[in-house]
Amino acid sequence: MENCLFCKIAEGQIPSAKVYEDEHTLAFLDISQTTKGHMLLIPKKHVRNTLEMDEGLAQTVFARLPKLARALQKATKAGGMNIINNNEEIAGQTVFHAHIHLIPRYSTDDGLEIHFTAHDSDSSALNSLADDIRSEVGQ
Ligand code: AMP
Ligand code: ZN
């Protein structure tokens, strides 16, 4: 897609520190290096984010994660990693070409902070929401 940063990276028009490439996907180091080794995995085909992927593309892209994650962990000797995919601005997406972050973790104060706040929820509200989602997903 014209004027898409990650399409340009996929086409080699903008340089990147590539770590993996095949016919359909590319992985390269994120320029921000939130932690050492912070990597992005993208489909070469332009889609906005996961919400726009069909199952075939998702299968192709997400299937690469275990191999890349293991390689990244070995190369950086990280203790673990967070795998994050931001969808839409409200969720922190700033580049609107689908990508998955692999962020190696070294300590709790290594540059990435993720905090899940627990909220009260009653089981009837949860069940009703689950019903709504089940009907959307076709179950
Ligand atoms: P997100 O906020 O999930 O959309 O992530 C976009 C990511 O792209 C950010 O972590 C940026 O640091 C990264 N980024 C932006 N430009 C480049 C670039 N030229 N090469 C590598 N990573 C980039
Ligand atoms: Zn693109």
Side-chain angles (χ1 to χ4, degrees), residues 29-83:
L29 295 184
D30 190 298
I31 209 157
S32 72
Q33 290 295 285
T34 295
T35 66
K36 190 182 78 181
H38 180 180
M39 182 197 291
L40 298 174
L41 168 64
I42 67 168
K44 288 185 172 174
K45 179 184 166 182
H46 182 90
V47 289
R48 183 175 170 87
N49 53 40
T50 302
L51 298 169
E52 244 187 31
M53 285 187 193
D54 61 28
E55 283 194 15
L57 185 62
Q59 211 159 37
T60 300
V61 176
F62 286 87
R64 306 292 185 267
L65 282 172
K67 180 165 75 177
L68 288 171
R70 282 191 289 269
L72 182 58
Q73 181 155 25
K74 277 193 177 163
T76 60
K77 300 184 173 51
M81 78 186 58
N82 291 100
I83 296 179

Side-chain angles (χ1 to χ4, degrees), residues 1-11 42-48 95-98:
M1 195 204 207
E2 223 179 306
N3 283 329
C4 169
L5 176 63
F6 287 177
C7 280
K8 286 184 179 158
I9 287 179
E11 286 159 16
I42 67 168
K44 288 185 172 174
K45 179 184 166 182
H46 182 90
V47 289
R48 183 175 170 87
V95 175
F96 293 92
H97 178 129

